[in-house]
Amino acid sequence: MKREQILTPENFESLLAWLDADRELAGKLYEDIHRRLIKIFTSRGCSVPEELADETIDRVIGKVRELAVTYVGDPRLYFYGVAHNVFLEHCRKKSTVPIPPILTTVEPDEGELEQEFQCLESCMQGLTAKSRHLVLQYYRDDKQAKINSRKLLADQLGIALNALRIRAFRIRATLQKCVQNCMGQSVAG
């Protein structure tokens, strides 16, 4: 069913009546729900949050006559439940969309790669010996060997695997920032 067929003045009035008996309060609640839905979809990384918010509202409007009779509780929670389902459907659809081929590829400049490598080396020297050892061990292997070495590293450090991931992430973030600063200074200098 098209949006124009769902969002009729009668259906919208039914929605407002379900939200609150006071029409002005219902209007404010509707706007708040719509704004909140957009924030939810945006925070989940959706590229079309407004469309998904509208889809959520359309679905609720399609059931509002039934909801007015049977639903007990805060109407906002119903909207958020529907939004969750809309988001999951969007993710499924998104994964089936073919990815367009890359039209142009930009090969990294060899001098730039060398400069980045030198910056990384310099930033690694700025780490403590423990941090340097941890990050080198954490990122050294592939596939099953990587899993096994990370478990072993966590055991050696006497920490949980998740704590190891967090430490490695923080060290990597520090390194990335350092490399970016170094590259910026090299370009400017």
Side-chain angles (χ1 to χ4, degrees), residues 5-22:
Q5 295 170 322
I6 294 171
L7 193 56
T8 64
E10 297 82 26
N11 287 345
F12 189 70
E13 286 300 321
S14 297
L15 176 70
L16 292 178
W18 178 59
L19 291 175
D20 198 288
D22 181 341

Side-chain angles (χ1 to χ4, degrees), residues 40-50 52 87 90-91 94:
I40 289 170
F41 290 121
T42 301
S43 71
R44 292 183 178 181
C46 296
S47 58
V48 288
E50 293 86 3
L52 296 179
F87 174 72
H90 173 72
C91 289
K94 191 174 169 184

Side-chain angles (χ1 to χ4, degrees), residues 24-42:
E24 189 172 323
L25 287 176
K28 287 181 182 178
L29 185 56
Y30 169 81
E31 289 174 358
D32 180 55
I33 290 169
H34 191 261
R35 199 171 22 257
R36 177 89 168 114
L37 289 171
I38 292 171
K39 283 183 182 180
I40 289 170
F41 290 121
T42 301

Side-chain angles (χ1 to χ4, degrees), residues 5 15 21 24 27 44 49 53 57 70 73 91 117 120-121 123 131 169:
Q5 295 170 322
L15 176 70
E24 189 172 323
R44 292 183 178 181
I57 290 170
T70 60
C91 289
F117 182 74
L120 177 60
E121 290 269 316
C123 292
S131 293
F169 173 80

Side-chain angles (χ1 to χ4, degrees), residues 1 18 24 28 39 49 63 69 97 105 113 137 157 183:
M1 198 177 271
W18 178 59
E24 189 172 323
K28 287 181 182 178
K39 283 183 182 180
K63 292 189 171 239
V69 177
V97 174
T105 56
L113 283 175
Q137 294 302 308
L157 294 171
M183 293 291 289

Side-chain angles (χ1 to χ4, degrees), residues 10 21 48 68 96 126 142 178 186:
E10 297 82 26
V48 288
T96 61
D142 287 325
C178 179
S186 296

Side-chain angles (χ1 to χ4, degrees), residues 71-84:
Y71 186 79
V72 178
D74 186 351
R76 291 176 290 198
L77 299 178
Y78 189 84
F79 278 93
Y80 303 149
V82 172
H84 177 71

